[in-house]
Amino acid sequence: MIVRIMGEGQVKVADRHFAELNTLDDQLLAEVEGGDEAGFRRTLGALLDAVRRIGEPLPDDALEPSELILPAPDATLADVRDLLGDDGLIPG
């Protein structure tokens, strides 16, 4: 799956990693719904770090359609609340 982190670029993430990402996404959803700013900031950072760690960066000139778009590291709790679906940022 091609994942874009807003403001950073795209990475290819193997499907086998989505259980780990979904765990962080579920935690992020709970923190956003609970208004836990400190937890939200910590978990958003952990989610983005995990994507960077396990993903394979695509070349800057690659223009692949992103199947998943994640917020920038400096996104606010309100910004992310607007992006969340029923399943969080990551479907499934």
Side-chain angles (χ1 to χ4, degrees), residues 28 32 40 44 71-72 75-85 89:
L28 185 71
V32 168
F40 156 76
L44 177 60
T76 67
L77 194 140
D79 293 336
V80 173
R81 184 178 286 125
D82 291 341
L83 295 173
L84 289 172
L89 293 170

Side-chain angles (χ1 to χ4, degrees), residues 5 8 43-53 70-74:
I5 297 175
E8 289 188 25
T43 304
L44 177 60
L47 176 61
L48 298 178
D49 287 345
V51 169
R52 291 180 196 111
R53 176 178 44 82
L70 297 176
D74 61 350

Side-chain angles (χ1 to χ4, degrees), residues 1 3 8 11 13 19-20 25 29 31 39 43-46 50 65 71 75 90:
M1 176 180 282
V3 179
E8 289 188 25
V11 297
V13 176
E20 174 186 354
D25 186 47
L29 177 62
E31 291 161 349
T43 304
L44 177 60
I90 302 171

